[in-house]
Amino acid sequence: MKLEKYDAVAKIKIIKEVRTFMDLGLKEAKELVEKVPVVLKKGLTKEEADPILAKLKELGATVVLE
């Protein structure tokens, strides 16, 4: 799953969501999100990725499953 870009207004919400599903600290999640485009997680099945993709897109992120 790759985060390609996001709406700057939603940055904080996206960081919080990434932090939740990746089990990261706030600093690590913030650094990861700011490296856009960035691969967030590898090896996810479509079933695992769909709810995460939906939530991030709802928040204003452009995310693709690779």
Side-chain angles (χ1 to χ4, degrees):
M1 176 172 26
K2 183 177 181 181
L3 176 64
E4 293 192 329
K5 62 182 176 178
Y6 57 87
D7 184 3
V9 176
K11 181 178 178 181
I12 293 171
K13 291 179 184 176
I14 292 168
I15 290 169
K16 287 180 181 179
E17 188 63 28
V18 167
R19 181 179 179 208
T20 301
F21 81 82
M22 292 191 61
D23 197 28
L24 295 173
L26 183 59
K27 181 180 182 222
E28 292 83 4
K30 180 179 182 281
E31 289 172 353
L32 187 63
V33 169
E34 289 177 342
K35 290 181 184 175
V36 181
V38 63
V39 173
L40 295 176
K41 207 157 193 175
K42 293 182 180 182
L44 289 176
T45 65
K46 184 165 177 22
E47 292 75 28
E48 293 171 322
D50 279 345
I52 299 167
L53 288 170
K55 181 66 176 176
L56 289 172
K57 286 180 181 178
E58 178 184 314
L59 294 174
T62 302
V63 190
V64 293
L65 188 59
E66 294 184 334

